[in-house]
Amino acid sequence: MTSEITLFVNPTAGRGRGARAAQPAASALRAAGFSVRTVLGEDADDALVRARAAVEGGTGALIAVGGDGMANLALRAVAGTRTPLGLVAVGTGNDFARALGLPVRRPDAAGRMIADALKCDRIRDVDLGRVGDRWFGTVLASGFDSRVNDRGNRMRRPAGRLKYDLAMVAELAAFRPLPYRVRLDDGEVREIEATLVAVGNGSSYGGGMRICPGADLTDGLFDITVVGDCSRTTLLRVFPRVYRGTHIDHPKVTVLRAARVEIAAEDVTGYADGEPLGPLPLTARCVRGSVRVVGP
C-alpha cells in the first residue's frame, strides 16, 4: 500500500467539527509515517469529483472526516474499488462509524486507529445497499421517519437535533399509517398498512436509533423492519425503545430479511444514510463485500 492517503473533509459537519477534526486526525496519521493530502471541494459534487480523482490516482486510502452524509459521499467514490475507506466520525449521526466499531467524535483516537489498522492491514470487506447508482451503508428509511426528515429539512430553526425533535412532534400530530407495496427478492408483492419501512444494511440511523438491531454488514442480506398500522399512542410507546433495539419485540413490528427489496407508497421520500434518494417506489439491493473498510 502506498503511504500517501487522502483526507476527505466536510468542514461544516457537526457545526464546524469537521474542520476542527481534520487537524488532529491528520497529525496522528503523519506521526505514523503517512503522507496526508486533504480534499475539500466547493460543494458536494465538486468534492466527489476530487475524491474520485484521488481514488483513480492510486491513493492508499480515502479517510472521510464528517458525519454519515460525508461517509455516504465517500462511499460513492470507493464502492466497487480496492481503495480502503476510513472514517473520522464527527457529525451528528455517525451511524456507519458505530456499525464499524470506530471511535465517534474522537478524531485523534480515530486517526491513530486508522493509522494502526493500515499498517497492520486490518482491512475488511463489508456489504453496501444500492439504489440505482447510489450506495448506502446504514439504513434506507421511508414513512414516518422520512417525513420527519422532510419536515426538518424545511425548517430553518432551531439547529441540530432539536429541529428534528420538533419535526417529529409535528408529524405525530398529522401522521396516519400508509398503504405500502413490498416485494422481497423474487417473491410476491405484499400489500400492507405500515407506519414505516426501514431497510437496514447497518443497524442504526439518526444517531444511534437501532431500527434494524440484527443487521449484519457481512451477511449479504438486509434486515427490513416494518412498523405496522400503529396509532399515535402506540407509536409514542414503541418509538423510544428503538434506542435499545427492543421495539422489534412489539406485536406491531415485523423483521424480514432479503437481498433485494422493492418498496412503494404514495407521497413518500426515501432517505439513505440521512440523505434523500427520491420518491418511492425504490428498489434496493444488498451488494456483498462492495467496500473495503479500515477498522478495529
Side-chain angles (χ1 to χ4, degrees):
M1 175 184 294
T2 176
S3 64
E4 181 181 296
I5 59 178
T6 302
L7 273 187
F8 187 36
V9 181
N10 179 0
T12 65
R15 286 178 281 181
R17 281 194 297 267
R20 295 192 296 272
Q23 186 54 50
S27 296
L29 290 161
R30 290 189 177 110
F34 290 96
S35 173
V36 180
R37 174 174 172 256
T38 300
V39 167
L40 287 169
E42 296 178 2
D43 53 30
D45 290 339
D46 181 54
L48 180 57
V49 168
R50 293 170 186 259
R52 283 174 169 162
V55 170
E56 291 168 4
T59 187
L62 186 71
I63 313 300
V65 184
D68 284 324
M70 197 61 178
N72 182 270
L73 199 61
L75 288 176
R76 296 167 67 181
V78 299
T81 76
R82 299 303 295 164
T83 302
L85 173 67
L87 298 177
V88 177
V90 291
T92 303
N94 307 310
D95 289 287
F96 196 37
R98 285 188 178 89
L100 296 171
L102 295 169
V104 171
R105 298 197 186 100
R106 295 163 53 209
D108 51 347
R112 290 193 300 270
M113 178 180 285
I114 290 167
D116 184 62
L118 288 171
K119 285 193 163 188
C120 298
D121 201 30
R122 287 200 309 274
I123 298 169
R124 58 192 172 115
D125 294 338
V126 302
D127 307 338
L128 294 177
R130 187 167 189 173
V131 177
D133 62 352
R134 293 283 298 274
W135 299 90
F136 66 94
T138 58
V139 177
L140 165 57
S142 73
F144 174 74
D145 42 8
S146 65
R147 287 192 169 172
V148 169
N149 260 321
D150 286 341
R151 184 180 290 268
N153 290 341
R154 293 193 300 268
M155 295 167 60
R156 293 181 178 271
R157 293 190 181 90
R161 290 292 298 275
L162 180 57
K163 176 169 68 173
Y164 291 94
D165 290 342
L166 293 175
M168 183 179 294
V169 171
E171 279 300 317
L172 272 171
F175 191 81
R176 299 289 186 276
L178 299 162
Y180 270 88
R181 298 180 304 281
V182 178
R183 185 182 185 196
L184 306 180
D185 295 323
D186 295 322
E188 297 293 325
V189 174
R190 309 182 188 197
E191 296 189 358
I192 57 175
E193 292 283 323
T195 300
L196 65 85
V197 176
V199 180
N201 182 56
S203 61
S204 70
Y205 63 2
M209 299 168 70
R210 301 183 66 232
I211 189 69
C212 302
D216 183 339
L217 291 172
T218 62
D219 65 356
L221 297 171
F222 292 125
D223 273 32
I224 302 138
T225 299
V226 179
V227 179
D229 55 344
C230 289
S231 67
R232 286 192 292 274
T233 301
T234 300
L235 187 59
L236 280 168
R237 286 201 303 265
V238 172
F239 211 77
R241 294 168 57 180
V242 78
Y243 287 98
R244 301 186 304 275
T246 58
H247 62 290
I248 62 171
D249 298 326
H250 193 277
K252 288 289 186 181
V253 179
T254 304
V255 177
L256 309 167
R257 290 186 174 86
R260 182 177 181 275
V261 57
E262 302 172 31
I263 51 175
E266 297 294 329
D267 299 320
V268 175
T269 302
Y271 283 79
D273 293 343
E275 301 296 310
L277 285 178
L280 272 55
L282 293 171
T283 299
R285 292 185 300 113
C286 185
V287 185
R288 193 161 200 162
S290 48
V291 66
R292 306 180 77 210
V293 294
V294 181

